[in-house]
Structures are given as structure tokens and as C-alpha cells.
């Protein structure tokens, strides 16, 4: 258990915590600026933010400062304590996701044995926060949005978990480092140079995972719970100022974390072809490789978000229960057969 | 050092040194239990850090923001119209049915996870067992489907 740096537990944990406290907001700001502001603008033939900082890079920081100065309004009818706690629950859920994400042989906060299981469990905590927000606001829009969000999140959580199962079967482990190792040491028809990124053997699983992740993040084809045109924002209608910003930050940070999970499970993670799995230099190069892959995956998520129109609530539920869940169950059985027979 | 002496050794020594400080050869099982607990201590610390970060931000905001509540401001927002009736209205039962279905399949997932990590050991026996298990659950899904539960009305 001695960490890579050979330091005492508390020292190492403090360093990791410090890094995480810098990395997580930076990740959220980067995705927010690159995709939500600039890419969306370009895709809609606009220029996006221009004035704050070079190319508008500091726009989101200016926005955060603005949010800090906004009055914090609690509706008179709201359940105050739950209303205040809800954004913290959502933020903590996305923060805890980052604990298991590996970015190098030793560059991981805590290499939990239950890795992917833990990640799925923690990410589903956000449902609780959303329901709390929707219920405690004592607003009809918020209640409808919260219920829709809960219905959608639980419906798409199942295919998400079941899609992961194929990867677990192939890697024989829940541990994310072991999943990366299985891909690094795998072979494609006896050709082992690039390992065996599971996107090749688990392509169906990858598709199911990405679609479900899109729904879990309530990004656009699946953004019924926060539909502006009919629910004026859903569960966060009543939130102002910094509490609203926490929801926003958590959403973008979770998008980053889910892209990272997809990278680790399907795209080979931080490993670079040609290197030893344990090469110490990968602790430096690994995070860079991870970042590039994460940005590619996140690009796909936001690209779909800006391209497709919203699904109707019944279509959305039907798609999850009648297409994705049977498909992912079939995927498990087929993967199992290949694992045992081959 | 006088500070460290107050703390249990596993908190301030590297893990192996801590083990030898506590009397050398500890059984593997014991050490791995302590490692396991310690890795979840990190999780708890990160959870606490997230909550602390949120509350620090709230503290900063409290200094910066104005606070002038008026009764009009505190009415629930319904697109500018005064809200009618109670805000905690009854909601449709259909969400409830989906929640029940979800619990079923989520429990199923909990059973599949440990099976998936050990499939190589169980081989054909495990595969057949799980195929039967999944088949029964799929039957349940089809039953719900035929009964029209999955239809959004």
C-alpha cells in the first residue's frame, strides 16, 4: 500500500487531495469553455465569447464571480434544509467519481479493488440530489423535472451497468488498473503491438455505454428533465447564484469523469503502445494521453448534444427498456460464451 | 515527532514501516483488511473535501452577495403567474412502476458483477447458470412488456 512517492499516508493523501482540488475545477472549466461555449458557438455559426481574456478563455471564471455575487433566494414554501443540501450532494457525487480514475501506473488517487462498481455506485448518488432539489423546491416545474430526471436516470443506469459487465468479463476484474492492464497485454489475432482496446471486442457495449452516459448526463437528445421550453429548467428552476452554479459545475465535471471512464474501459486508458505497463515515465505521459482521449470522447458527447433534437418522454423510456436493456443482456451472454468457449 | 507520537502509527508511517512498527510479521489477511479500510478512508476524505469546498464557496458568496428578500421574490416561480394550489401536487403512478422494475434489475446487476469477475473459473457451469438466471429475468421483462407496463400513458 505504500504509495508511489513512499510518503506517509496523510502526506500522500493531502497531495492527492490538492491535485484533485485543482484538476476537477480545471477539467470542468476546460470542457465548459471548449465545448459548451466555443464549439457550440461555432456549430451555430456564432463566435462565442470574445472579450474576457484571450479568445474569451476567462469567460467562465467571470461567470463564476458573477454567480458568487447573486442573491441566494430560498422560496418561502421550500423545504429549506433539503433545498440547501441538494447541490452539495450532486457535487459530492461527481467529486467522488474522480477518486478511482487512473491516469498512470501509480497516478491514481485510490486504486480501489471494486473500481468500476464503485464508480457506478457513486455516480448514481446524483439521482438523490436531483430528486432532493426537485422535491424541496416546492415548485411544480421543479417537481416534474425532478421526477422525470429520476425516471430517466434509473432507466438508463441499468444499460450503463450492464454494458460495463462485458468489459468486466473480458478483464476478469472490477479494478480499473487491471482493466487497463488487460487491454495493454491483450492481443488481436496474435498481434499485440497496440494491445486490445475493448472498443474492438465490446463495440456494442461501447455504444450502449455512450448512449446511457448521454442520458445519465441529461445531455440533449435525453434532456427532457431540464427541458427549457416546457419546464423552464426542471429541477433547478428555483436555484440562484452559487447553488445553481454547483449544479452546472457538477454536470460538466461528471461529463469529464464519464468520458474518462469510457476511455479507461474501452479505449485502452493511459497506456501507450510500445511501453511497459509499469514504466514510471507513463506517470507523466499517461495523464496527457488520458486527456487527449477524454477530450475526444467528450467531443462526441457534446457533438451529439448540439446536433440532435430532444426525445419525447415516452420514446425515451421505451428506448431504454425495450432496446438498450435487452441488447445489453444479450451482450453479456454473448461475451460470456466467447470467454468460455474461446 | 512529538505530534506524530500522538497519532496511531498507521496514519503517519508508510504502510510497510507501520506494519513492522506494530510488531513485524502481520498476517496477510490482517494487512489487506487494514489496506482495504484505508483506501476507503481516502474516499471518505474526498467526500468530506467536496462538502467542505461547497461550504467554503457558500461562505465566500455570503460575504459578496446582497440579501434583500421580499415576499414577492419568495413566491414559487411559475412563469410570472401566481402559483395555484399546493406546490406538492400528486404525481403519476407510472414513475412508481418504473422504480419497482429498476430495483429488480439493479439487484440482478449486483449478482452479475461478482460472477463476471470469476467467469474463467466457473467456465461452462457458470455460463449456463447465468444464462438461466438472465433468462428468468428477461421473462419478467417480457411479462411487464406484454402487460403494457412499459407503455408510457
Amino acid at each position: 500500500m505504500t504509495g508511489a512517492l513512499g510518503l506517509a499516508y496523510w502526506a500522500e493523501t493531502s497531495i492527492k487531495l490538492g491535485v484533485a482540488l485543482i484538476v476537477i475545477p480545471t477539467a470542468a472549466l476546460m470542457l465548459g469553455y471548449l465545448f459548451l461555449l466555443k464549439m457550440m458557438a461555432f456549430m451555430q455559426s456564432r463566435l462565442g465569447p470574445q472579450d474576457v481574456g484571450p479568445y474569451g478563455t476567462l469567460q467562465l471564471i467571470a461567470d463564476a464571480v458573477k454567480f458568487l455575487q447573486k442573491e441566494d433566494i430560498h422560496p418561502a414554501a421550500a423545504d429549506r434544509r433539503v433545498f440547501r443540501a441538494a447541490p452539495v450532494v450532486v457535487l459530492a457525487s461527481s467529486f467522488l467519481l474522480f477518486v478511482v480514475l487512473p491516469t498512470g501506473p501509480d497516478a491514481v488517487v485510490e486504486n480501489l479493488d471494486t473500481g468500476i462498481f464503485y464508480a457506478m455506485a457513486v455516480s448514481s448518488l446524483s439521482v438523490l440530489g436531483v430528486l432532493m432539489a426537485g422535491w424541496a423546491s416546492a415548485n411544480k416545474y421543479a417537481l416534474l423535472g425532478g421526477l422525470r430526471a429520476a425516471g430517466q436516470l434509473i432507466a438508463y443506469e441499468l444499460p450503463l451497468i450492464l454494458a460495463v459487465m462485458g468489459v468486466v468479463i473480458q478483464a476478469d476484474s472490477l479494478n480499473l488498473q487491471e482493466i487497463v492492464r488487460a487491454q495493454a497485454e491483450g492481443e488481436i489475432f496474435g498481434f499485440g503491438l497496440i494491445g486490445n482496446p475493448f472498443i474492438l471486442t465490446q463495440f456494442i457495449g461501447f455504444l450502449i455505454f455512450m448512449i446511457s452516459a448521454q442520458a445519465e448526463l441529461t445531455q440533449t437528445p435525453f434532456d427532457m428533465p431540464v427541458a427549457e421550453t416546457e419546464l423552464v429548467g426542471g429541477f433547478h428552476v428555483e436555484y440562484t447564484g452559487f447553488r445553481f452554479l454547483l449544479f452546472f459545475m457538477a454536470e460538466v465535471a461528471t461529463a469529464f469523469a464519464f468520458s474518462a471512464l469510457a476511455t479507461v474501459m474501452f479505449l485502452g486508458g493511459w497506456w501507450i503502445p510500445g511501453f511497459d505497463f509499469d514504466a514510471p515515465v507513463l506517470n507523466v505521459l499517461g495523464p496527457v494521453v488520458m486527456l487527449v482521449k477524454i477530450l475526444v470522447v467528450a467531443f462526441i458527447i457534446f457533438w451529439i448534444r448540439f446536433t440532435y433534437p430532444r426525445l419525447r418522454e415516452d420514446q425515451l423510456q421505451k428506448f431504454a427498456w425495450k432496446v438498450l436493456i435487452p441488447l445489453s443482456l444479450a451482450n453479456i451472454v454473448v461475451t460470456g460464451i466467447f470467454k468460455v468457449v474461446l | 515527532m512529538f505530534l506524530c507520537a500522538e497519532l496511531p502509527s498507521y496514519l503517519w508511517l508508510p504502510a510497510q514501516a507501520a506494519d513492522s512498527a506494530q510488531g513485524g510479521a502481520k498476517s496477510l489477511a490482517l494487512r489487506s483488511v487494514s489496506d482495504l479500510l484505508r483506501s476507503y478512508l481516502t474516499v471518505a476524505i474526498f467526500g468530506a473535501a467536496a462538502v467542505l469546498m461547497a461550504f467554503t464557496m457558500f461562505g465566500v458568496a455570503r460575504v459578496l452577495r446582497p440579501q434583500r428578500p421580499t415576499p414577492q421574490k419568495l413566491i414559487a416561480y411559475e412563469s410570472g403567474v401566481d402559483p395555484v394550489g399546493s406546490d406538492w401536487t400528486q404525481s403519476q403512478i407510472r414513475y412508481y412502476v418504473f422504480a419497482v422494475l429498476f430495483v429488480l434489475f439493479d439487484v440482478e446487476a449486483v449478482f452479475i458483477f461478482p460472477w463476471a469477475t470469476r467467469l474463467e473459473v466457473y467456465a461452462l457451469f457458470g455460463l449456463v447458470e447465468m444464462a438461466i438466471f438472465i433468462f428468468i429475468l428477461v421473462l419478467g421483462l417480457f411479462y411487464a412488456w406484454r402487460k403494457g407496463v412499459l407503455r408510457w400513458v
Side-chain angles (χ1 to χ4, degrees):
Chain A
M1 248 307 278
T2 319
L5 305 173
L7 291 173
Y9 172 74
W10 65 267
E12 204 159 293
T13 307
S14 317
I15 293 173
K16 284 169 176 173
L17 194 59
V19 172
L21 283 176
I22 295 169
V23 165
I24 296 173
T26 314
L29 284 178
M30 189 167 58
L31 281 198
Y33 170 73
L34 272 181
F35 297 128
L36 280 179
L37 294 183
K38 277 303 190 184
M39 195 176 87
M40 170 143 77
F42 291 153
M43 284 184 172
Q44 298 171 346
S45 302
R46 295 183 287 117
L47 283 174
Q50 291 279 306
D51 299 325
V52 192
Y55 302 101
T57 35
L58 301 179
Q59 181 65 49
L60 280 171
I61 294 175
D63 285 347
V65 173
K66 186 189 79 177
F67 273 116
L68 274 177
Q69 301 172 39
K70 291 292 177 190
E71 187 174 353
D72 190 24
I73 299 172
H74 301 80
D79 188 335
R80 276 181 86 86
R81 206 176 295 165
V82 182
F83 183 83
R84 286 156 159 269
V88 183
V89 171
V90 176
L91 183 78
S93 151
S94 86
F95 204 88
L96 285 176
L97 261 179
F98 283 81
V99 171
V100 282
L101 296 178
T103 55
D106 302 305
V108 52
V109 174
E110 200 62 65
N111 186 19
L112 295 180
D113 286 335
T114 45
I116 187 61
F117 188 76
Y118 164 86
M120 294 292 121
V122 166
S123 75
S124 61
L125 276 183
S126 67
V127 184
L128 202 65
V130 168
L131 258 183
M132 280 163 70
W135 183 256
S137 297
N139 178 309
K140 291 176 195 115
Y141 290 133
L143 182 60
L144 272 179
L147 281 177
R148 276 187 191 178
Q152 170 173 332
L153 294 186
I154 62 174
Y156 281 87
E157 184 152 320
L158 291 172
L160 191 78
I161 294 174
L162 296 176
V164 165
M165 223 70 83
V167 171
V168 174
I169 291 173
Q170 283 213 296
D172 276 330
S173 178
L174 296 170
N175 185 314
L176 288 172
Q177 290 285 32
E178 290 302 314
I179 290 174
V180 175
R181 182 195 291 277
Q183 293 176 82
E185 291 172 357
E187 290 179 337
I188 311 162
F189 300 122
F191 173 72
L193 185 63
I194 60 162
N196 178 20
F198 286 152
I199 188 175
L200 300 176
T201 47
Q202 285 291 326
F203 189 67
I204 305 274
F206 178 69
L207 283 185
I208 297 172
F209 184 86
M210 289 305 290
I211 293 170
S212 315
Q214 192 92 15
E216 287 285 300
L217 298 167
T218 58
Q219 300 289 4
T220 284
F222 306 103
D223 71 338
M224 207 63 195
V226 290
E228 307 90 350
T229 44
E230 43 178 310
L231 287 184
V232 292
F235 59 87
H236 48 55
V237 188
E238 291 291 355
Y239 282 88
T240 56
F242 211 75
R243 284 173 213 280
F244 175 77
L245 188 68
L246 282 193
F247 278 120
F248 177 75
M249 262 171 60
E251 181 193 322
V252 184
T254 313
F256 191 88
F258 267 99
S259 311
L261 277 181
T263 306
V264 168
M265 287 190 300
F266 295 102
L267 302 181
W270 45 264
W271 184 68
I272 308 170
F275 281 87
D276 279 343
F277 181 77
D278 287 325
V281 68
L282 282 179
N283 282 325
V284 182
L285 296 179
V288 180
V289 174
M290 272 293 278
L291 183 63
V292 173
K293 288 180 180 174
I294 288 171
L295 287 182
V296 172
V297 176
F299 169 76
I300 297 172
I301 291 177
F302 286 102
W303 184 18
I304 293 171
R305 168 181 172 154
F306 302 143
T307 309
Y308 284 94
R310 182 178 299 145
L311 282 175
R312 231 170 39 217
E313 185 73 22
D314 61 326
Q315 295 169 331
L316 194 144
Q317 292 283 346
K318 205 162 79 183
F319 186 58
W321 290 97
K322 296 188 178 172
V323 180
L324 287 184
I325 290 176
L327 193 62
S328 50
L329 285 174
N331 184 43
I332 292 175
V333 174
V334 171
T335 311
I337 290 173
F338 271 101
K339 175 85 178 177
V340 169
V341 173
L342 293 188
Chain B
M1 266 303 126
F2 65 95
L3 252 184
C4 293
E6 307 283 303
L7 296 167
S9 62
Y10 59 84
L11 276 181
W12 55 274
L13 279 181
Q16 276 146 17
D19 286 344
S20 54
Q22 285 171 5
K26 211 196 301 182
S27 77
L28 187 67
L30 254 184
R31 195 182 306 136
S32 50
V33 165
S34 109
D35 281 352
L36 179 78
L37 291 180
R38 195 148 74 160
S39 62
Y40 283 98
L41 178 62
T42 317
V43 172
I45 291 173
F46 266 67
V51 174
L52 205 68
M53 189 174 84
F55 278 95
T56 316
M57 297 292 199
F58 291 154
V60 173
R62 184 179 286 274
V63 177
L64 292 177
R65 70 178 186 228
Q67 186 72 324
R68 294 184 206 89
T70 61
Q72 282 74 31
K73 243 185 231 174
L74 302 183
I75 300 174
Y77 172 75
E78 288 189 5
S79 307
V81 185
D82 282 351
V84 178
S86 163
D87 294 307
W88 280 303
T89 49
Q90 289 185 326
S91 54
Q92 296 104 332
I93 192 76
R94 58 193 179 196
Y95 290 105
Y96 172 74
V97 175
F98 281 97
V100 170
L101 266 180
F102 167 76
V103 171
L104 269 178
F105 277 86
D106 218 28
V107 172
E108 172 198 2
V110 170
F111 282 124
I112 298 183
F113 261 115
W115 166 84
T117 57
R118 281 288 163 270
L119 180 56
E120 205 151 61
V121 183
Y122 294 140
L124 199 60
F125 163 72
L127 188 64
V128 172
E129 284 286 318
M130 190 47 72
I132 294 171
F133 181 63
I134 290 180
F135 177 71
I136 293 172
L137 276 153
V138 170
L139 271 188
L141 183 64
F142 272 108
Y143 179 70
W145 192 329
R146 281 298 299 273
K147 279 283 173 184
V149 174
L150 299 182
R151 208 177 55 230
W152 196 260
V153 278

